[in-house]
């Protein structure tokens, strides 16, 4: 038992899954840092594992600078149209991105500046698998392998996919790393049904190149790609297959998150309002970061109350 009068509590940060909405994690980390709150241990799921690894490796500012400068033209390079690959993400460009902004290929979890863990799902058995040692990049690849976008990742003879299928907000991993206080981030709190809502469209000038690419994807895989890059749709038109799949995944993940939070609640739960950002609208990082900051400020009374107890 920790002696609160003489010991500093170990603060854990659990970063949840949420695809492009995950850039809100950057704003949350910034805002907490401005309040003098630095995580001692970090856990992540899917996009949370990527941001968490950059934080634990000391590269969070470098990652944020890249996110804030990202354009649709640059984003197009991360996708390739090849159905035989079981996913749309260009692994070569993704690998370069991780080398440049997360950590190099030789980095191992044990050598990071902060204790770090992330979660993946074993495809064959449906079991949860957590990473607390070994290759950082392999752990990230395993955790972010969202079905349909990434192919399953083979690690130590096991096929692994996105950890969000089992543990979207990995509070349990933070506890296992020794956290006394866990600040958790739930990116999917307000998503149910919102993916099908009509959203504002980007300007013609901004969207010209990206629309051309999206059209190519659409022609290749027909209606399955209609919602990949833009969350807008006609509310009077029946949802397409991809819309239905994404919304269904949102429902499942949101229900799993509620169940996991009920059994192992965070001390502080931060829930940014991100329903307006689509699944792969990665170029909207500035909006997500801003909302992450604002979400922290909305929780200031609770954060201050909790920390005062220690």
């Amino acid at each position: 038992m920790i002696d609160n009068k003489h010991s500093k509590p170990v603060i854990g940060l659990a970063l949840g899954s949420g695809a492009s909405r995950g850039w809100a994690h950057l704003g949350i980390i910034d805002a907490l840092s401005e309040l003098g709150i630095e995580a001692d241990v970090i856990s992540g799921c899917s996009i949370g594992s990527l941001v968490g690894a950059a934080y634990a490796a000391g590269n969070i500012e470098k990652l944020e600078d890249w996110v804030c400068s990202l354009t649709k033209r640059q984003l197009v390079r991360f996708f390739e149209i090849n159905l035989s690959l079981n996913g749309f993400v260009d692994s070569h460009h993704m690998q370069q991105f991780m080398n440049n902004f997360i950590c190099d290929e030789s980095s191992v979890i044990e050598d990071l500046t902060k204790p770090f863990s992330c979660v993946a799902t074993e495809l064959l058995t449906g079991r949860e698998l957590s990473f607390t040692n070994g290759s950082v990049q392999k752990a990230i690849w395993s955790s972010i392998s969202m079905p349909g976008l990434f192919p399953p990742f083979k690690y130590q003879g096991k096929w692994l996919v996105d950890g969000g299928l089992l543990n979207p907000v990995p509070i349990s991993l933070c506890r296992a790393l020794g956290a006394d206080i866990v600040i958790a981030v739930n990116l999917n709190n307000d998503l149910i049904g919102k993916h099908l809502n009509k959203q504002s469209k980007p300007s013609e000038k901004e969207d010209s190149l990206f629309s051309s690419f999206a059209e190519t994807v659409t022609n290749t895989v027909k209606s399955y790609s209609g919602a990949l890059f833009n969350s807008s749709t006609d509310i009077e038109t029946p949802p397409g297959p991809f819309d239905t799949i994404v919304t269904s995944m949102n429902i499942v993940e949101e229900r799993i998150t509620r169940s996991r939070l009920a059994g192992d609640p965070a001390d502080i739960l931060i829930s940014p309002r991100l329903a307006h950002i689509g699944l792969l609208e990665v170029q909207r990082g500035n909006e997500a970061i801003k909302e992450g900051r604002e979400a922290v400020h909305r929780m200031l009374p609770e954060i201050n109350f909790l920390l005062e107890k220690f």
Side-chain angles (χ1 to χ4, degrees), residues 7 24 28 70 76 92 102 107 113 137 140 178 242 256 296-297:
S7 303
I28 288 167
L70 183 63
V76 166
H92 173 69
I102 308 300
S107 296
T113 60
Q137 286 201 11
I140 296 171
F242 196 84
I256 292 171
V296 171
H297 290 299

Side-chain angles (χ1 to χ4, degrees), residues 2-302:
I2 187 170
D3 182 351
N4 296 333
K5 294 182 179 179
H6 300 95
S7 303
K8 177 182 179 293
V10 176
I11 296 177
L13 184 61
L15 304 177
S17 61
S20 60
R21 294 177 284 271
W23 298 142
H25 290 317
L26 296 168
I28 288 167
I29 291 170
D30 284 346
L32 290 174
S33 180
E34 290 168 3
L35 295 171
I37 301 171
E38 296 288 340
D40 300 301
V41 301
I42 304 160
S43 67
C45 177
S46 197
I47 185 66
S49 71
L50 191 148
V51 175
Y55 188 20
N59 291 325
I60 197 72
E61 291 182 4
K62 186 191 297 186
L63 175 61
E64 185 169 346
D65 288 343
W66 178 83
V67 170
C68 290
S69 66
L70 183 63
T71 64
K72 286 189 176 182
R73 181 182 294 273
Q74 293 169 316
L75 180 58
V76 166
R77 297 204 306 266
F78 281 85
F79 297 91
E80 57 184 333
I81 306 168
N82 188 338
L83 298 182
S84 66
L85 297 177
N86 298 318
F88 287 103
V89 175
D90 185 324
S91 58
H92 173 69
H93 280 101
M94 189 67 183
Q95 184 70 61
Q96 286 184 322
F97 159 73
M98 285 203 280
N99 289 340
N100 292 334
F101 302 104
I102 308 300
C103 63
D104 59 52
E105 290 184 69
S106 64
S107 296
V108 293
I109 293 174
E110 300 94 309
D111 293 339
L112 295 175
T113 60
K114 298 174 183 288
F116 169 76
S117 181
C118 66
V119 63
T121 301
E122 188 179 348
L123 193 57
L124 181 62
T125 65
R127 293 174 56 191
E128 180 179 324
L129 182 66
S130 60
F131 293 83
T132 56
N133 55 56
S135 167
V136 178
Q137 286 201 11
K138 287 181 179 179
I140 296 171
W141 274 112
S142 301
S143 189
I144 66 174
S145 292
M146 182 177 179
L149 296 180
F150 294 84
F153 186 77
K154 193 171 187 179
Y155 182 75
Q156 295 184 346
K158 301 173 182 177
W159 289 107
L160 304 177
V161 293
D162 198 315
L165 297 176
L166 293 177
N167 197 353
V169 184
I171 296 165
S172 57
L173 272 61
C174 267
R175 303 281 188 204
L177 289 174
D180 299 303
I181 297 174
V182 175
I183 301 172
V185 183
N186 179 14
L187 300 175
N188 303 312
N189 184 58
D190 62 345
L191 290 187
I192 290 183
K194 300 297 180 67
H195 184 79
L196 300 179
N197 287 348
K198 188 173 182 179
Q199 305 289 342
S200 59
K201 295 183 179 181
S203 67
E204 260 184 54
K205 182 177 179 182
E206 180 191 26
D207 203 42
S208 57
L209 175 67
F210 205 64
S211 294
S212 175
F213 176 74
E215 183 180 355
T216 305
V217 175
T218 303
N219 289 337
T220 305
V221 293
K222 305 209 180 280
S223 59
Y224 284 90
S225 298
L228 273 175
F229 310 108
N230 194 332
S231 56
S232 61
T233 184
D234 182 357
I235 197 66
E236 300 302 324
T237 303
F242 196 84
D243 290 290
T244 304
I245 290 168
V246 170
T247 303
S248 299
M249 288 180 65
N250 285 340
I251 293 170
V252 171
E253 195 163 307
E254 196 270 347
R255 297 306 182 195
I256 292 171
T257 301
R258 285 192 187 189
S259 177
R260 298 292 298 241
L261 288 173
D264 188 10
D267 298 288
I268 295 291
L269 182 63
I270 299 173
S271 300
R273 298 164 184 166
L274 299 164
H276 61 289
I277 296 180
L279 178 72
L280 289 184
E281 293 184 303
V282 184
Q283 79 287 352
R284 298 177 69 177
N286 285 292
E287 295 175 58
I289 290 170
K290 180 181 178 183
E291 172 54 24
R293 287 175 169 272
E294 292 177 357
V296 171
H297 290 299
R298 289 195 295 268
M299 293 297 295
L300 270 178
E302 288 82 357

